[in-house]
Amino acid sequence: MTAQIIPTRTAAETSLADAYGAVKAKLPGSAEIAKLRDAAFEAFSQAGLPHRRVETWHYTDLRTLLREALPVASVPSAAAIEALRKEFAAATDVPSQKLVLVDGIYVPELSDAMPAGVSVKSLSSVLASGPADLVALVAAQGFGEGDAIVSLNAAMMQDGVVVEVAPGTALADPINLVYATAGGAPSARYTRSLVVIGAGATARLHESSFGEGARTGQTFGCLILSVGDGANLGHTAMLTKSAAASLRLESFIVRIGAKAKFDSFALVTGSGLLRRQIFMNFEGEDSVGQLRGVSLLRSRDHADTTLFVKHLAEGCVGRETFRYILDEEATGIFQGKIHVAPNAQKTDGKMLSKALLLSDTVAMNNKPELEIFADDVACGHGATCGGLSVDQLFYLQARGLPAPEAEALLLEAFAAEMADEIDYESLVAAFRGEIAGWLAARSVKA
Amino acid sequence: MLEVKNLNVSIGGRKILNDFNLTVQDGEVAAIMGPNGTGKSTLSYVIAGRKDYDVESGEVLLNGDNLLELEPDVRAAKGLFLAFQYPLEIPGVATMTFLKAALNAQRKQRGEAELSTPEFMKRVKGAADKLGIASDMLKRALNVGFSGGEKKRMDILQMALLEPAFGILDETDSGLDIDALRIVSEGVNSLRAPKRGFLVITHYQRLLDYIVPDTVHVMANGQIVRTGGKELALELEKSGYREYTESAAA
């Protein structure tokens, strides 16, 4: 006799179901999209919030960590947009070529004109009236399938941007996705954006948040990138400025065509709970894809980076390199799975995670995995955890640097070395500045 | 003047330096020669302040200050410089950033003003030219991807910039080809000064053809067992260290 398991819904699961019921009629899209939303919510409901017995979520148990689901963010009011306009005007670090999302809703009034070859639509307009090829990409069937949080985002997606870079376009400067918050009571944002880089185009995309403590509340984000054949996309993300007690679940879906180049770097700092799950698929042959990231964590920060890299075509090079600095009582998670399909011969895949542990009360969980079905591949992974090198510290001290300065220099080098590889100078400086700021806050306390 | 008095050092319960005594006068270049495992590198690390060693007793005085109670960076600011046998690679730290940080940290410790950037650049360039260090080497991360010879030259460049009161060269000749050996030695020789002493640690007499010492000490089993002039090095090259290790063991 088999025992029947009746799953009990957590309070958060119940309020998510209530929230979906309440907002679904107002969510954008055709009748077909509404069906898709229902199916996605059903998939989420069946699975429930991911918990420690779901292998890919083992270290980020949302059943215990997500106690309460916040109400869905409302469309920003005219007053809120006006207030933000003033804040943007007063701020000094606002990038140009920006597309502004306020609580996940695309706000053209706050955004800049795009250069030639770049077109922008709101996600809601695409969901309502197509075109079908973009809808198909947004719906991203087959990506993150079986992942409850991607499903939840698909069900609830309110808005976002859909950016197309025309084939052959060469952009000199980044397109900036800027996430702002309207303020008011903490809410939950369900945003989904799509960026399509046409064949042979060269572009750079940067994501950042606007305003100190900009990321309050809960974010269920999804960004889909489609890198066309022969295209070259540089992507950077500044996942900073999260407020304490915030929750940020970002799904990042990348599909790479043939003979394309993709390089992504993300910096994670700030309080609260963050999970980045990246689904990178090599769909065409002879492409190069790099995922890199640095997480700087302290207090009781919890940052999870989980990768699913699928080599589905021949001769692609995948590099995944992630570094963590953990202090106080922080928790870091790195999970990475490289899958090589039977036809993806000559795959060259390497994954590496390195963590510096600065206190006895931090935790770092590393779980690299290889799943290889082709026989002519070179794949490997490595993970290290440890303190700063005693030899390097002594060398610097012997040259006159006091221990705290020597330590700070080595920590900065460990993190900033990754940012230095970005092929755009002002972004390198911006990331270096964030890293130095995080370290300075540490040394002030020490 | 560097004075090491009755220094006893062990590591993990194993005695390395055994009532060790040594004095190097201002302006003197003293060489310590000896077989492997006799405590030569331990001596240099203990003087510079590495923490892996148990200093049981004794004193190390640099111009009268007891170094053993000081942190390595304070020792450096007081004028001690150790040229490493294997200079460390520090990925992500730009060489110029490091040089400036080191120089200014020492100046700050001594209550001196920071160097202006133009003055700093001038000094680095001057020292780099003398040592044949190309400017692109200065743009790279410290010692990363440098050959053995380049790393040693970089260490000597640091010594030239930091202008120490006392320099210890720990097996500076290891891993150097003849040309690199000559360049490094010329760099050291140009820093010889009446107020600056040197301790040159080496296995081989070869280095001492280039950096000619005033005094040669033979070290065995954690002690100085014989002292002589520069001719002692030549004698050792012929006879080897056997008589010292055997007599010490007996």
Side-chain angles (χ1 to χ4, degrees), chain A residues 182-245:
Chain A
S187 56
R189 293 169 283 267
Y190 296 87
T191 181
R192 179 173 284 220
S193 290
L194 167 70
V195 178
V196 181
I197 310 296
T202 298
R204 176 166 283 290
L205 177 71
H206 180 61
E207 297 177 78
S208 63
S209 297
F210 176 73
E212 284 306 316
R215 308 310 279 175
T216 56
Q218 298 173 343
T219 306
F220 297 83
C222 181
L223 174 64
I224 303 165
L225 303 183
S226 172
V227 186
D229 293 349
N232 184 344
L233 176 63
H235 167 258
T236 43
M238 194 85 94
L239 296 149
T240 57
K241 299 181 177 172
S242 294

Short mmCIF file of all heavy atoms in Angstrom, two decimals, chain A residues 182-245:
data_model
loop_
_atom_site.label_atom_id
_atom_site.label_comp_id
_atom_site.label_asym_id
_atom_site.label_seq_id
_atom_site.Cartn_x
_atom_site.Cartn_y
_atom_site.Cartn_z
N ALA A 182 8.90 52.58 -7.20
CA ALA A 182 8.06 53.76 -6.98
C ALA A 182 7.95 54.12 -5.51
O ALA A 182 7.49 55.20 -5.17
CB ALA A 182 6.67 53.51 -7.56
N GLY A 183 8.38 53.25 -4.66
CA GLY A 183 8.23 53.53 -3.23
C GLY A 183 6.87 53.07 -2.75
O GLY A 183 6.16 52.37 -3.47
N GLY A 184 6.52 53.44 -1.54
CA GLY A 184 5.26 52.95 -0.98
C GLY A 184 5.47 51.61 -0.32
O GLY A 184 6.60 51.20 -0.07
N ALA A 185 4.36 50.93 -0.04
CA ALA A 185 4.46 49.66 0.69
C ALA A 185 5.21 48.63 -0.16
O ALA A 185 5.07 48.61 -1.38
CB ALA A 185 3.06 49.16 1.01
N PRO A 186 6.04 47.79 0.48
CA PRO A 186 6.78 46.77 -0.26
C PRO A 186 5.82 45.88 -1.06
O PRO A 186 4.76 45.50 -0.56
CB PRO A 186 7.49 45.96 0.82
CG PRO A 186 7.53 46.85 2.01
CD PRO A 186 6.33 47.74 1.91
N SER A 187 6.20 45.58 -2.28
CA SER A 187 5.33 44.77 -3.12
C SER A 187 6.17 43.75 -3.87
O SER A 187 7.39 43.71 -3.73
CB SER A 187 4.58 45.68 -4.10
OG SER A 187 5.51 46.42 -4.85
N ALA A 188 5.51 42.94 -4.66
CA ALA A 188 6.20 41.93 -5.47
C ALA A 188 6.12 42.32 -6.93
O ALA A 188 5.08 42.72 -7.42
CB ALA A 188 5.56 40.56 -5.25
N ARG A 189 7.26 42.22 -7.62
CA ARG A 189 7.32 42.57 -9.05
C ARG A 189 7.51 41.30 -9.85
O ARG A 189 8.36 40.48 -9.51
CB ARG A 189 8.52 43.48 -9.30
CG ARG A 189 8.42 44.83 -8.68
CD ARG A 189 9.76 45.53 -8.75
NE ARG A 189 10.66 45.00 -7.74
CZ ARG A 189 10.79 45.53 -6.54
NH1 ARG A 189 10.12 46.60 -6.20
NH2 ARG A 189 11.61 44.99 -5.66
N TYR A 190 6.75 41.18 -10.90
CA TYR A 190 6.91 40.04 -11.82
C TYR A 190 7.23 40.63 -13.18
O TYR A 190 6.34 41.13 -13.86
CB TYR A 190 5.65 39.20 -11.87
CG TYR A 190 5.33 38.54 -10.54
CD1 TYR A 190 4.58 39.21 -9.57
CD2 TYR A 190 5.80 37.26 -10.26
CE1 TYR A 190 4.32 38.62 -8.35
CE2 TYR A 190 5.53 36.67 -9.03
CZ TYR A 190 4.80 37.34 -8.08
OH TYR A 190 4.55 36.75 -6.87
N THR A 191 8.47 40.66 -13.50
CA THR A 191 8.86 41.33 -14.74
C THR A 191 9.57 40.35 -15.65
O THR A 191 10.28 39.45 -15.19
CB THR A 191 9.73 42.56 -14.42
OG1 THR A 191 10.08 43.22 -15.62
CG2 THR A 191 10.99 42.18 -13.69
N ARG A 192 9.30 40.50 -16.94
CA ARG A 192 9.97 39.63 -17.91
C ARG A 192 10.37 40.48 -19.11
O ARG A 192 9.56 41.23 -19.63
CB ARG A 192 9.04 38.49 -18.33
CG ARG A 192 9.66 37.55 -19.36
CD ARG A 192 8.79 36.33 -19.64
NE ARG A 192 8.86 35.35 -18.57
CZ ARG A 192 8.90 34.01 -18.75
NH1 ARG A 192 8.88 33.50 -19.96
NH2 ARG A 192 8.95 33.19 -17.73
N SER A 193 11.61 40.40 -19.48
CA SER A 193 12.08 41.17 -20.62
C SER A 193 12.77 40.26 -21.62
O SER A 193 13.27 39.18 -21.24
CB SER A 193 13.06 42.26 -20.17
OG SER A 193 12.38 43.27 -19.46
N LEU A 194 12.79 40.73 -22.85
CA LEU A 194 13.42 39.96 -23.92
C LEU A 194 14.33 40.89 -24.72
O LEU A 194 13.92 42.00 -25.07
CB LEU A 194 12.34 39.38 -24.84
CG LEU A 194 12.80 38.81 -26.19
CD1 LEU A 194 13.58 37.51 -25.99
CD2 LEU A 194 11.59 38.55 -27.09
N VAL A 195 15.54 40.44 -24.97
CA VAL A 195 16.44 41.21 -25.82
C VAL A 195 16.90 40.29 -26.95
O VAL A 195 17.46 39.22 -26.69
CB VAL A 195 17.64 41.76 -25.02
CG1 VAL A 195 18.59 42.51 -25.95
CG2 VAL A 195 17.18 42.66 -23.89
N VAL A 196 16.63 40.72 -28.17
CA VAL A 196 16.98 39.90 -29.33
C VAL A 196 18.10 40.60 -30.09
O VAL A 196 17.94 41.73 -30.55
CB VAL A 196 15.77 39.71 -30.27
CG1 VAL A 196 16.14 38.83 -31.45
CG2 VAL A 196 14.60 39.11 -29.50
N ILE A 197 19.23 39.94 -30.19
CA ILE A 197 20.35 40.51 -30.93
C ILE A 197 20.37 39.83 -32.30
O ILE A 197 20.61 38.62 -32.40
CB ILE A 197 21.70 40.26 -30.20
CG1 ILE A 197 21.61 40.67 -28.72
CG2 ILE A 197 22.84 40.98 -30.91
CD1 ILE A 197 21.36 42.13 -28.47
N GLY A 198 20.12 40.63 -33.33
CA GLY A 198 20.03 40.08 -34.68
C GLY A 198 21.36 39.54 -35.16
O GLY A 198 22.43 39.84 -34.61
N ALA A 199 21.29 38.75 -36.23
CA ALA A 199 22.49 38.11 -36.77
C ALA A 199 23.56 39.15 -37.08
O ALA A 199 23.27 40.22 -37.63
CB ALA A 199 22.14 37.34 -38.03
N GLY A 200 24.77 38.87 -36.67
CA GLY A 200 25.90 39.73 -37.00
C GLY A 200 25.94 41.06 -36.27
O GLY A 200 26.83 41.87 -36.52
N ALA A 201 25.01 41.28 -35.36
CA ALA A 201 25.00 42.56 -34.63
C ALA A 201 25.97 42.51 -33.45
O ALA A 201 26.28 41.44 -32.93
CB ALA A 201 23.60 42.88 -34.15
N THR A 202 26.43 43.68 -33.05
CA THR A 202 27.29 43.80 -31.88
C THR A 202 26.60 44.75 -30.90
O THR A 202 26.22 45.86 -31.28
CB THR A 202 28.66 44.39 -32.27
OG1 THR A 202 29.27 43.49 -33.18
CG2 THR A 202 29.56 44.55 -31.05
N ALA A 203 26.43 44.30 -29.66
CA ALA A 203 25.74 45.14 -28.69
C ALA A 203 26.23 44.86 -27.29
O ALA A 203 26.92 43.87 -27.03
CB ALA A 203 24.24 44.90 -28.78
N ARG A 204 25.87 45.80 -26.41
CA ARG A 204 26.20 45.63 -25.00
C ARG A 204 24.96 46.00 -24.19
O ARG A 204 24.27 46.98 -24.51
CB ARG A 204 27.38 46.53 -24.65
CG ARG A 204 27.76 46.53 -23.20
CD ARG A 204 29.12 47.16 -22.97
NE ARG A 204 30.20 46.26 -23.34
CZ ARG A 204 30.52 45.14 -22.66
NH1 ARG A 204 29.83 44.80 -21.60
NH2 ARG A 204 31.51 44.39 -23.05
N LEU A 205 24.68 45.20 -23.19
CA LEU A 205 23.48 45.41 -22.37
C LEU A 205 23.91 45.46 -20.91
O LEU A 205 24.65 44.59 -20.44
CB LEU A 205 22.52 44.24 -22.60
CG LEU A 205 21.24 44.20 -21.77
CD1 LEU A 205 20.29 45.30 -22.26
CD2 LEU A 205 20.57 42.83 -21.90
N HIS A 206 23.45 46.50 -20.21
CA HIS A 206 23.82 46.62 -18.80
C HIS A 206 22.56 46.75 -17.95
O HIS A 206 21.65 47.51 -18.29
CB HIS A 206 24.71 47.86 -18.62
CG HIS A 206 25.15 48.07 -17.20
ND1 HIS A 206 25.92 47.15 -16.51
CD2 HIS A 206 24.92 49.09 -16.33
CE1 HIS A 206 26.15 47.62 -15.27
NE2 HIS A 206 25.56 48.78 -15.14
N GLU A 207 22.53 46.02 -16.87
CA GLU A 207 21.39 46.11 -15.95
C GLU A 207 21.86 46.73 -14.64
O GLU A 207 22.89 46.33 -14.10
CB GLU A 207 20.87 44.72 -15.60
CG GLU A 207 20.31 43.91 -16.73
CD GLU A 207 19.90 42.53 -16.20
OE1 GLU A 207 18.83 42.44 -15.58
OE2 GLU A 207 20.66 41.57 -16.39
N SER A 208 21.07 47.68 -14.14
CA SER A 208 21.40 48.24 -12.82
C SER A 208 20.13 48.70 -12.13
O SER A 208 19.07 48.78 -12.76
CB SER A 208 22.38 49.40 -12.98
OG SER A 208 21.77 50.44 -13.72
N SER A 209 20.26 49.00 -10.86
CA SER A 209 19.13 49.51 -10.10
C SER A 209 19.35 50.97 -9.81
O SER A 209 20.50 51.42 -9.66
CB SER A 209 18.98 48.75 -8.78
OG SER A 209 18.71 47.41 -9.04
N PHE A 210 18.27 51.70 -9.71
CA PHE A 210 18.40 53.13 -9.45
C PHE A 210 17.96 53.44 -8.03
O PHE A 210 16.92 52.98 -7.57
CB PHE A 210 17.53 53.92 -10.44
CG PHE A 210 17.53 55.40 -10.17
CD1 PHE A 210 18.65 56.17 -10.48
CD2 PHE A 210 16.44 56.02 -9.58
CE1 PHE A 210 18.66 57.53 -10.22
CE2 PHE A 210 16.45 57.38 -9.33
CZ PHE A 210 17.57 58.14 -9.64
N GLY A 211 18.76 54.25 -7.36
CA GLY A 211 18.41 54.70 -6.01
C GLY A 211 18.97 53.76 -4.96
O GLY A 211 19.09 52.56 -5.17
N GLU A 212 19.32 54.33 -3.82
CA GLU A 212 19.83 53.51 -2.72
C GLU A 212 18.70 52.63 -2.19
O GLU A 212 17.55 53.07 -2.09
CB GLU A 212 20.36 54.40 -1.59
CG GLU A 212 21.71 55.03 -1.88
CD GLU A 212 22.77 54.01 -2.27
OE1 GLU A 212 22.85 52.95 -1.63
OE2 GLU A 212 23.50 54.27 -3.25
N GLY A 213 19.03 51.40 -1.87
CA GLY A 213 18.02 50.49 -1.33
C GLY A 213 16.85 50.33 -2.28
O GLY A 213 15.70 50.16 -1.89
N ALA A 214 17.18 50.39 -3.59
CA ALA A 214 16.11 50.38 -4.59
C ALA A 214 15.33 49.07 -4.61
O ALA A 214 14.18 49.05 -4.99
CB ALA A 214 16.70 50.66 -5.96
N ARG A 215 15.99 48.01 -4.26
CA ARG A 215 15.31 46.73 -4.40
C ARG A 215 14.70 46.31 -3.07
O ARG A 215 15.20 45.43 -2.39
CB ARG A 215 16.27 45.66 -4.91
CG ARG A 215 17.01 46.06 -6.16
CD ARG A 215 16.11 46.58 -7.23
NE ARG A 215 15.45 45.52 -8.00
CZ ARG A 215 14.54 45.77 -8.93
NH1 ARG A 215 14.17 46.98 -9.19
NH2 ARG A 215 14.01 44.77 -9.60
N THR A 216 13.61 46.93 -2.70
CA THR A 216 12.87 46.46 -1.53
C THR A 216 11.87 45.42 -2.03
O THR A 216 11.68 45.24 -3.23
CB THR A 216 12.10 47.61 -0.87
OG1 THR A 216 11.27 48.20 -1.86
CG2 THR A 216 13.05 48.65 -0.32
N GLY A 217 11.21 44.79 -1.11
CA GLY A 217 10.15 43.87 -1.49
C GLY A 217 10.67 42.62 -2.20
O GLY A 217 11.76 42.14 -1.91
N GLN A 218 9.87 42.15 -3.14
CA GLN A 218 10.19 40.88 -3.78
C GLN A 218 10.24 41.05 -5.30
O GLN A 218 9.39 41.72 -5.88
CB GLN A 218 9.13 39.83 -3.41
CG GLN A 218 9.11 39.58 -1.90
CD GLN A 218 7.97 38.68 -1.45
OE1 GLN A 218 7.01 38.47 -2.17
NE2 GLN A 218 8.10 38.16 -0.23
N THR A 219 11.24 40.47 -5.91
CA THR A 219 11.36 40.52 -7.36
C THR A 219 11.37 39.11 -7.91
O THR A 219 12.17 38.28 -7.47
CB THR A 219 12.67 41.22 -7.77
OG1 THR A 219 12.73 42.49 -7.13
CG2 THR A 219 12.74 41.40 -9.28
N PHE A 220 10.47 38.85 -8.82
CA PHE A 220 10.49 37.59 -9.56
C PHE A 220 10.77 37.98 -11.00
O PHE A 220 9.86 38.29 -11.76
CB PHE A 220 9.15 36.86 -9.45
CG PHE A 220 8.79 36.46 -8.03
CD1 PHE A 220 8.20 37.38 -7.16
CD2 PHE A 220 9.06 35.18 -7.57
CE1 PHE A 220 7.88 37.02 -5.86
CE2 PHE A 220 8.73 34.82 -6.27
CZ PHE A 220 8.14 35.74 -5.41
N GLY A 221 12.03 38.05 -11.35
CA GLY A 221 12.41 38.59 -12.64
C GLY A 221 12.79 37.50 -13.63
O GLY A 221 13.20 36.41 -13.24
N CYS A 222 12.67 37.85 -14.87
CA CYS A 222 13.12 36.93 -15.93
C CYS A 222 13.62 37.76 -17.09
O CYS A 222 12.92 38.65 -17.58
CB CYS A 222 11.97 36.02 -16.35
SG CYS A 222 12.44 34.83 -17.61
N LEU A 223 14.84 37.50 -17.50
CA LEU A 223 15.40 38.20 -18.66
C LEU A 223 15.81 37.14 -19.67
O LEU A 223 16.54 36.20 -19.34
CB LEU A 223 16.61 39.03 -18.23
CG LEU A 223 17.39 39.71 -19.37
CD1 LEU A 223 16.54 40.73 -20.09
CD2 LEU A 223 18.66 40.38 -18.82
N ILE A 224 15.31 37.30 -20.88
CA ILE A 224 15.62 36.33 -21.93
C ILE A 224 16.48 37.03 -22.99
O ILE A 224 16.12 38.10 -23.47
CB ILE A 224 14.33 35.80 -22.58
CG1 ILE A 224 13.43 35.18 -21.50
CG2 ILE A 224 14.65 34.78 -23.67
CD1 ILE A 224 12.00 34.95 -21.96
N LEU A 225 17.61 36.45 -23.29
CA LEU A 225 18.47 37.00 -24.34
C LEU A 225 18.55 36.00 -25.47
O LEU A 225 18.74 34.81 -25.25
CB LEU A 225 19.90 37.25 -23.82
CG LEU A 225 20.07 38.16 -22.61
CD1 LEU A 225 21.56 38.34 -22.32
CD2 LEU A 225 19.43 39.51 -22.87
N SER A 226 18.41 36.53 -26.67
CA SER A 226 18.57 35.67 -27.83
C SER A 226 19.70 36.28 -28.67
O SER A 226 19.59 37.40 -29.15
CB SER A 226 17.25 35.65 -28.61
OG SER A 226 17.44 34.98 -29.82
N VAL A 227 20.78 35.54 -28.76
CA VAL A 227 21.97 36.05 -29.46
C VAL A 227 22.03 35.36 -30.82
O VAL A 227 22.25 34.15 -30.91
CB VAL A 227 23.25 35.75 -28.64
CG1 VAL A 227 24.46 36.40 -29.31
CG2 VAL A 227 23.11 36.24 -27.20
N GLY A 228 21.81 36.15 -31.87
CA GLY A 228 21.71 35.57 -33.22
C GLY A 228 23.04 35.06 -33.76
O GLY A 228 24.11 35.28 -33.16
N ASP A 229 22.97 34.40 -34.89
CA ASP A 229 24.17 33.85 -35.53
C ASP A 229 25.19 34.96 -35.78
O ASP A 229 24.85 36.02 -36.29
CB ASP A 229 23.81 33.20 -36.88
CG ASP A 229 22.95 31.95 -36.69
OD1 ASP A 229 22.81 31.49 -35.54
OD2 ASP A 229 22.41 31.46 -37.70
N GLY A 230 26.41 34.72 -35.42
CA GLY A 230 27.48 35.68 -35.68
C GLY A 230 27.38 36.97 -34.88
O GLY A 230 28.15 37.90 -35.10
N ALA A 231 26.45 37.02 -33.93
CA ALA A 231 26.30 38.24 -33.13
C ALA A 231 27.29 38.23 -31.97
O ALA A 231 27.86 37.19 -31.62
CB ALA A 231 24.88 38.36 -32.61
N ASN A 232 27.48 39.40 -31.40
CA ASN A 232 28.39 39.55 -30.26
C ASN A 232 27.70 40.39 -29.21
O ASN A 232 27.41 41.56 -29.43
CB ASN A 232 29.68 40.23 -30.77
CG ASN A 232 30.73 40.34 -29.67
OD1 ASN A 232 30.43 40.18 -28.49
ND2 ASN A 232 31.96 40.60 -30.07
N LEU A 233 27.41 39.78 -28.07
CA LEU A 233 26.71 40.50 -27.01
C LEU A 233 27.53 40.47 -25.73
O LEU A 233 27.92 39.42 -25.23
CB LEU A 233 25.33 39.89 -26.75
CG LEU A 233 24.55 40.52 -25.58
CD1 LEU A 233 24.22 41.99 -25.86
CD2 LEU A 233 23.27 39.76 -25.29
N GLY A 234 27.80 41.66 -25.20
CA GLY A 234 28.40 41.77 -23.88
C GLY A 234 27.30 42.17 -22.91
O GLY A 234 26.54 43.09 -23.17
N HIS A 235 27.21 41.44 -21.82
CA HIS A 235 26.15 41.73 -20.84
C HIS A 235 26.78 41.94 -19.47
O HIS A 235 27.72 41.23 -19.09
CB HIS A 235 25.17 40.55 -20.79
CG HIS A 235 24.25 40.59 -19.61
ND1 HIS A 235 24.44 39.80 -18.49
CD2 HIS A 235 23.15 41.34 -19.36
CE1 HIS A 235 23.47 40.07 -17.62
NE2 HIS A 235 22.68 40.99 -18.13
N THR A 236 26.29 42.94 -18.76
CA THR A 236 26.76 43.15 -17.39
C THR A 236 25.55 43.44 -16.52
O THR A 236 24.57 44.02 -16.99
CB THR A 236 27.74 44.34 -17.31
OG1 THR A 236 27.23 45.42 -18.10
CG2 THR A 236 29.12 43.97 -17.79
N ALA A 237 25.64 43.05 -15.28
CA ALA A 237 24.52 43.29 -14.35
C ALA A 237 25.08 43.67 -12.99
O ALA A 237 25.97 43.03 -12.46
CB ALA A 237 23.64 42.06 -14.23
N MET A 238 24.53 44.76 -12.47
CA MET A 238 24.91 45.24 -11.15
C MET A 238 23.74 44.87 -10.23
O MET A 238 22.76 45.58 -10.17
CB MET A 238 25.06 46.76 -11.27
CG MET A 238 25.74 47.45 -10.14
SD MET A 238 27.53 47.44 -10.29
CE MET A 238 27.86 48.99 -11.11
N LEU A 239 23.87 43.72 -9.58
CA LEU A 239 22.79 43.26 -8.70
C LEU A 239 23.10 43.76 -7.30
O LEU A 239 23.50 42.99 -6.43
CB LEU A 239 22.66 41.75 -8.78
CG LEU A 239 22.25 41.23 -10.16
CD1 LEU A 239 22.84 39.87 -10.44
CD2 LEU A 239 20.75 41.19 -10.29
N THR A 240 22.94 45.06 -7.14
CA THR A 240 23.32 45.69 -5.88
C THR A 240 22.13 46.47 -5.35
O THR A 240 21.05 46.43 -5.92
CB THR A 240 24.50 46.64 -6.11
OG1 THR A 240 24.12 47.59 -7.10
CG2 THR A 240 25.73 45.90 -6.60
N LYS A 241 22.37 47.18 -4.27
CA LYS A 241 21.36 48.09 -3.70
C LYS A 241 20.10 47.37 -3.22
O LYS A 241 19.02 47.97 -3.19
CB LYS A 241 20.99 49.18 -4.71
CG LYS A 241 22.18 50.04 -5.10
CD LYS A 241 21.79 51.12 -6.05
CE LYS A 241 22.99 52.01 -6.38
NZ LYS A 241 22.72 52.96 -7.43
N SER A 242 20.21 46.11 -2.89
CA SER A 242 19.05 45.42 -2.33
C SER A 242 18.88 45.83 -0.88
O SER A 242 19.86 45.94 -0.15
CB SER A 242 19.25 43.91 -2.38
OG SER A 242 19.30 43.49 -3.71
N ALA A 243 17.63 46.06 -0.50
CA ALA A 243 17.36 46.41 0.88
C ALA A 243 17.36 45.15 1.73
O ALA A 243 17.18 44.04 1.22
CB ALA A 243 16.02 47.12 0.98
N ALA A 244 17.56 45.33 3.04
CA ALA A 244 17.50 44.20 3.96
C ALA A 244 16.10 43.58 3.84
O ALA A 244 15.13 44.26 3.53
CB ALA A 244 17.76 44.66 5.38
N ALA A 245 16.03 42.29 4.06
CA ALA A 245 14.77 41.55 4.01
C ALA A 245 14.15 41.53 2.61
O ALA A 245 12.99 41.17 2.45
CB ALA A 245 13.76 42.09 5.02
#
